[in-house]
Amino acid sequence: MSLLTDRRAAPSAPRAWSVLGEPREAHLGYLLVLPAYLFIVGLTIFPILYAVYISLHRLSLTLPGMPFVGLANYVSILTAPSFWQAVAVTTYFVVISLLLQFPLGLAVALVLNEQVRGRAVLRAAILIPWAIAPVINGLLWQWIYNPRYGALNGLLKQLGVLRDDVLWLGEPFRALNMVILADTWKVLPFYVILFLAVLQTVPAELYEAAHIDGAGAWQRFRHVTLPFLRPIILVILVLRTVQTFRVFEIVYVLTGGGPAGGTTVIAFHVYRETFGNLNFGYGAALSFVMAFLTLTLAGAYVLTLRSEELY
Amino acid sequence: MQTPQIHTRLSRRAALASPLAVGGLSALVPLLSACAAGQPQQAGQVRLTKATTRTGKLTIVYAPSPVFDELTRRLEQETGWTAEWIGGGYDENHNKITVGLAGGAAFDVVTVDTIWTAEFAKAGFLIPVKDLIPEDTRKDLLPHALMEWSYEDIPYAVPHSNSIMSFYYNDRLLKQAGYDAPPKTWEQVVEMSRTMMDKGIAKFGMAAGWKQLEGLTCYYNNFFRAYKGEWQDRDGRWIFNQGAGLKALQYMVDTLYGSRITDPASVTLGDRDSVNIFINGTVAFMPNWGFAYQFAKTAPDSKIANDIRITLMPGMRETGVVSASTTGGNAAGVTRVSKQHDIAIKAALLFADPAIQKKAIEVARGAFQPSRISLYDDPWVKSTYPEVLEVRKQYEYGFRRPPIPWYYEWSNILQQAVQQALTRAKTPEQALNDAVKLINDRAQLYKK
C-alpha cells in the first residue's frame, strides 16, 4: 500500500507539516532527501560549475587580476603543440594498455577458472599488485628499471639475453612502453577478477553439451564462454579506458613526464599546468577538455557495444 | 619600502576549485574553501599583526627534521607559543603552500626554496623581511644569503640553509691514472675521463642527474655559466639558444655521444640516483648537491667512503671562467595572512639561529650548509665536518637560476629542451630554438 493510498484512507489525519496545502508526507520526503541534495550540489555540482566559470577567466597566481577571457583558454589548449603531444602519448598509452591487458587478463582468468592445483593460492596471489599503492608501485618499478642496479637488467643479463645494460627509461618511446608495462602489472588483477567472476557463472552443462556435440576448445570458448563475457567486456572497456586516460601516478613517480616529454600524458600535463605553473584558469579548461575526451570515448563504447545482442 | 602588488581578485575558491572539478577531489573544494581561515589579501603596505593571546600554535610548513623539535622548544621558551609542523617532501611543500595560501590557509611560516621566491613574492604570499632581521644577525649572514631569497631586490625569507652544487671526485681512481689533482676545467674533465676509461680504470668519467627534473636545469646552468652565458639580452628577451647556451648543451650532448665520458644512464637519473652510481667506485666524477658527500661516506654499500673528495666545480678553459655552480637552499618566509606576525617573525629568525643551524649540521652529519658566517669558524664544525668549509669556497662562484615568478614553467620548458637534445630527439640548436621561442611567447603573457 502506498503512502498516497494511505493518506486518502485517513483524510482526517493532522496536517501540521503542511505548507500551502501540500500534504505533509511530501514535505517530509523533501526534508529527508535535502541533506543528500545539499551534499551533491555542494560537493559536486557547485565545484564543477565554478570550474566552468574560472575556465573562462585568466586565473594565474603569477598574473594580476582575473579577467574574463571567454574561450581563450580552450583555444590556447587546442593550438598548443604540448597538448596534442600529450593527447598522442595518452592515446598510445590507452590503446596499447588495452590491447595488452585485455587478452592477458582474460588468459589469466581462464587459467584460474580451471581446476588447477593451488588455484586458491594463485587467486589470492594475483591480487597482490592490485593491493599495492600506485606510488609504491611506481617506486618499485623505478628500482626494477634502474639501468645500473635494477632487477630487470640483472635478470636479463644472468639469463644471457643481454650483454650490456639497457636504459629502460632513457629514450622517450621505450620509456612510454616501460611505463605501460609497469601499469599493466598493477591493473591486471582488475581484469582477472571481473572475468573470473563471470566465468564462474557459466553452467558446466553448456561445456559438456558442446563437448558432446564435438566442439573443440576454441569453439567452446567462442560459442559458450564469449557470449557470457560480452557484458563484462563492455564494463571493462569503459572503466579501463577512462582509468587509463586519467593515468597519472605511475608517470609522476617513474618518469616525471620525461624523458624529453615522451611520457607526458594528459593528466600529468593538467597537473603541471595547474599546480606547477599555477595557471588555474588554463588548468580548469584542460580538465574539461580531458573530461570531454574521456566521456566521448566512453559514449562511443556504450553506443557500439549496446547495439549488439549480448546473449 | 616597496611592497609587492597583491592580486586581490584571487579568491580562495578560485584557486582551489579549478583543477579539481573533474577529479575525484572536487568534492572537497567547497569544504576546504569554507574552512579556510585566511584574510583577504590586500594591496599596499604590510600591516604587521600581533598575537592576541599569550600562548598559541603557529602553523609552519617545512620539510620535517629532528632539528625542528629544538626549534619548537626554543620558540615556546621565548614566546610561549608552540608550533605545528605540517610539511612534507619538496614538491609536496610547493603545492601545499601555493594552493593553501591562495585558498586562505592559515599558515604562519613557510619554507621557501630560492626558486620559489619570485613566485611567492609576486603572488603576495610573503612579507618582506629585510627590516625584520636584527642588524647583528644580518651581518652574520653569508654575503649572498639574503639576495638568494630576494625578488626585485627585496628579501622575502630568512635564510636557513645555503646550498650550492659541488664537484666530487674519486681520488683513488685519479691516483691510479697518475693524476695528483682534480680537473679545473670541463675540458680537463673530458681529457682525464677519457684517459681513465681508456686505461680501464673507470667505466665512465662522470655520472650526473640529468633526468627531466629541476636538477637538470641546475646542471645545465653550471655549464651555461662556465661558458659566460646570459639568459636574457638588455631588452629582456631570452637568448640562451645562441652562444653560451648552445655551447653548454652541445658540451652535455658531446659527453654522451662524442667523448662518451658521461654514463648514458644519467638521462634517467635524479640527483640521488646518480650518487648510487658514483658510490660503486667505477665513475670518476660527479657534480651534485651537499647531501652526496655524507651519503657516499656513510652508505653501507659505498665503495668510495675513503676516496670521495670535494673540489670546485670546473670552469671553462675556453672562456677563462674559474668555476661556475648553481645555488639553492631553503629559507623561512613569514606569510602575509598570519594573524600573529610578531610570533611568526621570531620563529622565522630561529631558522637562522646559530644553535639551531649547528644542530642542523649535526643532524645532517655535515650535509647542511649554514647561512651564518660564524658557524664556518666554529671549531667543532671545522674539526668534525671540514667538508662544510670546503663547500663554502664554491659560493664565490655561485649563480642563481633566473628569479622570475613563472620559474617553474620556464624551467619545465628548458628541462624538456635539454632532454630532447640529450636523447637526440632534436639537435641542441633545434631544441633550444623551440624552447626560447616558447619562453619568449610566455614572457609576453607574464609581462602584462
Side-chain angles (χ1 to χ4, degrees):
Chain A
M1 183 182 288
S2 70
L3 283 173
L4 191 61
T5 317
D6 223 9
R7 192 174 62 241
R8 283 171 183 167
S12 60
R15 298 167 67 88
W17 288 75
S18 172
V19 178
L20 298 174
E22 288 287 326
R24 68 167 187 166
E25 288 85 358
H27 280 265
L28 182 62
Y30 286 130
L31 207 62
L32 290 174
V33 297
L34 188 62
Y37 267 116
L38 289 176
F39 212 73
I40 292 166
V41 169
L43 299 184
T44 307
I45 296 172
F46 168 72
I48 290 175
L49 292 177
Y50 198 79
V52 172
Y53 171 76
I54 62 168
S55 78
L56 302 174
H57 292 75
R58 192 198 68 196
L59 174 58
S60 168
L61 287 192
T62 49
L63 285 170
M66 185 182 164
F68 176 77
V69 292
L71 296 175
N73 284 329
Y74 292 91
V75 172
S76 292
I77 290 165
L78 297 175
T79 53
S82 57
F83 169 73
W84 290 109
Q85 192 195 342
V87 169
V89 169
T90 309
T91 305
Y92 181 85
F93 197 105
V94 172
V95 171
I96 299 301
S97 292
L98 289 176
L99 286 176
L100 181 69
Q101 293 160 8
F102 212 86
L104 205 58
L106 182 57
V108 174
L110 286 168
V111 169
L112 292 180
N113 195 42
E114 295 298 315
Q115 294 295 332
V116 291
R117 285 185 68 183
R119 187 171 71 161
V121 176
L122 284 173
R123 281 183 178 181
I126 198 77
L127 284 173
I128 291 173
W130 188 249
I132 291 176
V135 172
I136 304 296
N137 184 48
L139 293 172
L140 193 75
W141 283 91
Q142 208 170 47
W143 278 93
I144 291 171
Y145 288 151
N146 187 288
R148 295 288 174 251
Y149 46 85
L152 186 57
N153 274 337
L155 178 72
L156 294 177
K157 283 206 292 198
Q158 281 190 358
L159 291 173
V161 178
L162 289 181
R163 270 183 56 203
D164 297 318
D165 291 333
V166 173
L167 305 179
W168 300 108
L169 303 174
E171 189 265 319
F173 185 62
R174 188 191 293 150
L176 181 58
N177 288 305
M178 292 298 113
V179 175
I180 291 173
L181 189 64
D183 189 54
T184 297
W185 184 80
K186 166 93 178 94
V187 300
L188 200 65
F190 178 78
Y191 291 83
V192 175
I193 291 164
L194 290 183
F195 280 132
L196 200 54
V198 176
L199 287 173
Q200 289 181 334
T201 66
V202 182
E205 296 82 10
L206 292 180
Y207 288 114
E208 287 169 20
H211 189 67
I212 291 165
D213 288 343
W218 167 247
Q219 285 172 314
R220 287 201 298 276
F221 174 75
R222 169 78 182 79
H223 297 291
V224 179
T225 309
L226 205 54
F228 273 89
L229 290 175
R230 277 200 179 159
I232 201 67
I233 287 173
L234 173 64
V235 171
I236 291 175
L237 273 178
V238 172
L239 284 179
R240 282 300 301 152
T241 301
V242 172
Q243 284 174 355
T244 315
F245 214 84
R246 294 183 304 146
V247 66
F248 174 76
E249 297 97 333
I250 190 80
V251 171
Y252 179 82
V253 178
L254 206 51
T255 62
T263 60
T264 301
V265 290
I266 295 180
F268 190 80
H269 185 57
V270 174
Y271 164 79
R272 202 157 57 189
E273 280 293 339
T274 312
F275 291 105
N277 301 345
L278 302 176
N279 292 328
F280 292 110
Y282 189 83
L286 257 176
S287 298
F288 281 111
V289 172
M290 186 177 162
F292 174 77
L293 292 174
T294 313
L295 289 172
T296 305
L297 268 176
Y301 277 136
V302 172
L303 285 175
T304 308
L305 294 173
R306 196 178 58 180
S307 60
E308 294 182 18
E309 192 179 334
L310 298 177
Y311 291 97
Chain B
M1 182 190 294
Q2 188 187 350
T3 52
Q5 186 69 34
I6 308 303
H7 310 149
T8 52
R9 296 294 304 277
L10 179 61
S11 73
R12 65 188 72 153
R13 278 175 299 185
L16 281 167
S18 61
L20 305 176
V22 182
L25 289 177
S26 60
L28 292 173
V29 174
L31 280 182
L32 291 172
S33 308
C35 293
Q39 297 168 335
Q41 294 173 346
Q42 296 168 1
Q45 200 75 21
V46 179
R47 289 195 306 264
L48 294 184
T49 55
K50 280 195 170 181
T52 53
T53 55
R54 295 182 67 180
T55 60
K57 192 181 273 188
L58 289 182
T59 303
I60 303 179
V61 186
Y62 229 97
S65 164
V67 179
F68 299 148
D69 294 339
E70 174 67 8
L71 198 151
T72 308
R73 194 187 61 74
R74 285 276 305 276
L75 180 69
E76 197 164 7
Q77 196 177 45
E78 293 173 20
T79 66
W81 280 60
T82 183
E84 182 184 13
W85 299 81
I86 62 168
Y90 175 80
D91 279 332
E92 189 189 337
N93 279 341
H94 176 265
N95 294 354
K96 192 189 286 273
I97 293 164
T98 50
V99 177
L101 287 177
F107 303 152
D108 296 290
V109 178
V110 296
T111 178
V112 186
D113 188 295
T114 52
I115 55 174
W116 302 344
T117 309
E119 175 189 344
F120 287 7
K122 178 90 175 176
F125 290 163
L126 305 174
I127 63 170
V129 296
K130 189 178 178 186
D131 296 341
L132 307 174
I133 300 175
E135 187 62 24
D136 56 338
T137 301
R138 206 184 319 165
K139 280 183 178 168
D140 194 34
L141 291 173
L142 289 165
H144 69 291
L146 275 177
M147 185 268 289
E148 291 287 338
W149 285 276
S150 295
Y151 175 58
E152 294 178 342
D153 297 327
I154 300 170
Y156 280 92
V158 180
H160 180 50
S161 165
N162 279 94
S163 307
I164 191 160
M165 292 187 88
S166 296
F167 193 71
Y168 301 97
Y169 64 96
N170 184 326
D171 192 46
R172 182 174 50 82
L173 297 187
L174 263 64
K175 288 220 161 64
Q176 275 180 32
Y179 295 113
D180 295 329
K184 293 193 183 309
T185 65
W186 285 110
E187 290 94 337
Q188 273 185 332
V189 170
V190 174
E191 291 156 12
M192 291 169 72
S193 295
R194 245 348 306 169
T195 303
M196 283 185 276
M197 289 167 72
D198 291 342
K199 287 182 176 175
I201 293 169
K203 192 173 177 186
F204 291 105
M206 182 166 67
W210 289 355
K211 192 177 178 177
Q212 191 179 319
L213 295 170
E214 178 53 31
L216 182 56
T217 300
C218 303
Y219 288 96
Y220 177 74
N221 189 42
N222 296 341
F223 298 116
F224 180 68
R225 294 299 193 173
Y227 274 112
K228 288 189 172 174
E230 291 295 335
W231 294 108
Q232 292 166 281
D233 64 15
R234 285 179 184 174
D235 300 326
R237 287 191 59 78
W238 298 87
I239 51 163
F240 59 86
N241 57 329
Q242 39 189 279
L246 192 56
K247 282 182 181 176
L249 186 53
Q250 191 64 57
Y251 178 92
M252 293 171 80
V253 172
D254 285 347
T255 65
L256 279 172
Y257 304 107
S259 61
R260 295 176 182 271
I261 63 152
T262 299
D263 184 344
S266 296
V267 296
T268 69
L269 305 175
D271 297 331
R272 191 163 288 278
D273 306 315
S274 66
V275 186
N276 286 329
I277 303 285
F278 189 59
I279 64 174
N280 264 330
T282 56
V283 174
F285 307 116
M286 179 190 64
N288 214 319
W289 296 97
F291 77 92
Y293 185 79
Q294 271 307 317
F295 185 81
K297 293 284 275 185
T298 57
D301 49 353
S302 174
K303 294 173 184 165
I304 59 162
N306 298 316
D307 303 319
I308 184 170
R309 302 284 186 276
I310 306 174
T311 188
L312 284 181
M313 192 71 74
M316 204 61 83
R317 192 186 296 152
E318 180 187 328
T319 58
V321 170
V322 175
S323 175
S325 184
T326 304
T327 55
N330 62 76
V334 176
T335 67
R336 193 170 285 253
V337 295
S338 174
K339 289 177 179 171
Q340 41 278 324
H341 281 137
D342 53 342
I343 308 295
I345 289 162
K346 284 186 177 166
L349 289 172
L350 280 173
F351 281 87
D353 182 87
I356 296 290
Q357 295 204 350
K358 196 169 176 179
K359 183 79 178 168
I361 296 172
E362 185 186 346
V363 167
R365 292 183 297 183
F368 179 93
Q369 290 299 132
S371 61
R372 298 293 289 249
I373 295 170
S374 53
L375 285 173
Y376 291 91
D377 294 325
D378 185 281
W380 174 80
V381 175
K382 279 181 171 175
S383 60
T384 316
Y385 299 110
E387 64 271 22
V388 172
L389 279 69
E390 281 298 310
V391 174
R392 188 189 176 185
K393 294 174 185 169
Q394 186 69 63
Y395 289 143
E396 195 182 332
Y397 309 101
F399 290 90
R400 281 178 96 179
R401 287 158 277 173
I404 51 173
W406 52 290
Y407 176 82
Y408 187 94
E409 188 173 359
W410 177 91
S411 181
N412 267 322
I413 296 170
L414 177 65
Q415 289 163 38
Q416 187 153 327
V418 172
Q419 274 242 321
Q420 282 167 340
L422 296 181
T423 59
R424 294 203 277 196
K426 290 182 181 175
T427 65
E429 195 170 13
Q430 274 175 333
L432 289 181
N433 282 344
D434 291 349
V436 163
K437 182 179 181 312
L438 193 54
I439 284 174
N440 276 321
D441 286 348
R442 299 301 293 169
Q444 289 303 316
L445 173 70
Y446 290 109
K447 262 185 187 171
K448 291 174 187 172

